Amino acid sequence: MALTASRYGKGRVRVMRLARDGDHHTPRELTLEVLMTGAFDRAWTDGDNRTCVATDSVKNIVNVTAAKHVEAEAEAFAGHVAQVFLDTYPQVSEISVEARETRWLRHAVSGTPHGHTFTLDGNGVGYVKLVADRAGSVLQSGLRGYTFMKTTQSGWANFVDDGYRTLADTSDRIAATSMDATWTWSDVPAETVATNARVLAILVAVFGTTYSPSVQDSMYRMGEAVLAAIPEIAEIRFAMPNKHYIPIDLSPFGLASDGRVFLPTDEPHGQIEATVGRSTEV
């Protein structure tokens, strides 16, 4: 039998490159598939791996290239990755690099583009729920899957130090979430579209412009700000899973990430939920 076609490599290689210019950050997040064609047939037909490049090395090449080309756009970055394979491995006759870009839009706070707060392009879906009986009704509005991120001004420290803890304290990390938020109306405003837009603007502004020692802290202050600004809202409920960006250890390659190269991962994720309502005390 003839082996008529073969190639191999690594799929779903996720990398976030973060270019930092003072407080002005530019995130570039890609998910890549890198596949090699070349003199590898004996791995299929004879169990001979001597010409094979480990797929783990493929991932490492992407990460090292990310550290060396933090500011390259997706097209140029794919070219840099491909060139490493062609320059390094004579047994590779063809290299295919496909990259899907997660596009982050710079968020404007009070009309001014913010240095390190971003929202996901093509973001979220609106949500409405009405429960009615003969005595009245309860109306809720909200968002599902609204994704936003800040690339600094977030930490996680001084948490329980037990026999299972492996995370180190940090005072500077990327914070990102895909938020479900639901607000319950005590009095439906005349302009729900405009008021809903105002709620969202408040939520992202509080998240993006204040230091966050935890998602819990940000969540509570976001809810407080909405209730303070919009009296028609009785309470607001949040579910905010973490979208983790883990610094990639490049020390085996003599490189420091310097807060520039991260592994995006959302499985498993932290799940943080809370409801913020008005005090019933007189």
Side-chain angles (χ1 to χ4, degrees):
M1 299 295 181
L3 179 69
T4 59
S6 66
R7 63 178 184 167
Y8 81 104
K10 202 77 161 178
R12 290 190 60 79
V13 182
R14 300 179 66 186
V15 65
M16 163 75 88
R17 293 170 294 141
L18 186 61
R20 297 172 178 257
D21 183 8
D23 193 47
H24 188 276
H25 296 176
T26 302
R28 296 178 173 90
E29 181 176 346
L30 296 173
T31 300
L32 298 98
E33 181 182 72
V34 182
L35 296 173
M36 296 172 285
T37 303
F40 308 115
D41 286 3
R42 288 181 60 81
W44 273 267
T45 60
D46 297 275
D48 183 348
N49 298 330
R50 285 177 294 175
T51 63
C52 288
V53 180
T55 64
D56 188 64
S57 298
V58 175
K59 175 203 69 179
N60 291 337
I61 287 169
V62 171
N63 292 338
V64 169
T65 305
K68 293 180 177 180
H69 300 281
V70 173
E71 298 191 10
E73 298 302 342
E75 292 81 1
F77 183 70
H80 290 308
V81 170
Q83 198 61 51
V84 172
F85 285 89
L86 296 176
D87 290 346
T88 307
Y89 304 110
Q91 66 270 41
V92 173
S93 60
E94 180 180 280
I95 183 77
S96 170
V97 181
E98 293 188 21
R100 295 175 180 263
E101 183 178 10
T102 299
R103 296 190 296 175
W104 293 100
L105 303 177
R106 192 174 302 279
H107 186 69
V109 177
S110 301
T112 301
H114 196 261
H116 57 255
T117 304
F118 303 87
T119 60
L120 189 68
D121 192 9
N123 208 350
V125 294
Y127 172 83
V128 173
K129 180 179 180 181
L130 176 68
V131 178
D133 59 23
R134 297 186 187 281
S137 62
V138 175
L139 178 66
Q140 295 178 321
S141 301
L143 291 162
R144 294 291 180 266
Y146 191 85
T147 303
F148 49 98
M149 169 180 71
K150 60 182 177 183
T151 52
T152 188
Q153 292 296 301
S154 174
W156 177 241
N158 301 319
F159 50 95
V160 173
D161 191 359
D162 53 21
Y164 300 99
R165 173 177 164 172
T166 58
L167 290 177
D169 285 355
T170 180
S171 60
D172 188 10
R173 64 174 182 170
I174 294 176
T177 185
S178 179
M179 177 185 70
D180 289 353
T182 307
W183 43 98
T184 302
W185 302 102
S186 57
D187 185 20
V188 181
E191 296 290 342
T192 54
V193 172
T195 308
N196 287 339
R198 187 178 174 207
V199 171
L200 178 58
I202 292 168
L203 294 175
V204 181
V206 172
F207 176 84
T209 62
T210 58
Y211 182 80
S212 171
S214 65
V215 174
Q216 290 90 328
D217 174 81
S218 283
M219 181 184 290
Y220 182 73
R221 288 185 291 106
M222 290 159 68
E224 275 191 315
V226 167
L227 295 178
I230 303 175
E232 297 93 339
I233 292 177
E235 67 176 26
I236 182 166
R237 185 174 73 245
F238 297 97
M240 292 172 59
N242 280 329
K243 295 174 69 67
H244 297 291
Y245 290 86
I246 301 170
I248 294 174
D249 181 12
L250 297 172
S251 59
F253 313 103
L255 297 170
S257 67
D258 297 327
R260 298 180 303 150
V261 182
F262 300 84
L263 171 64
T265 178
D266 47 21
E267 295 179 356
H269 61 246
Q271 181 73 18
I272 300 95
E273 301 183 4
T275 301
V276 183
R278 299 188 183 278
S279 174
T280 56
E281 296 179 3
V282 178

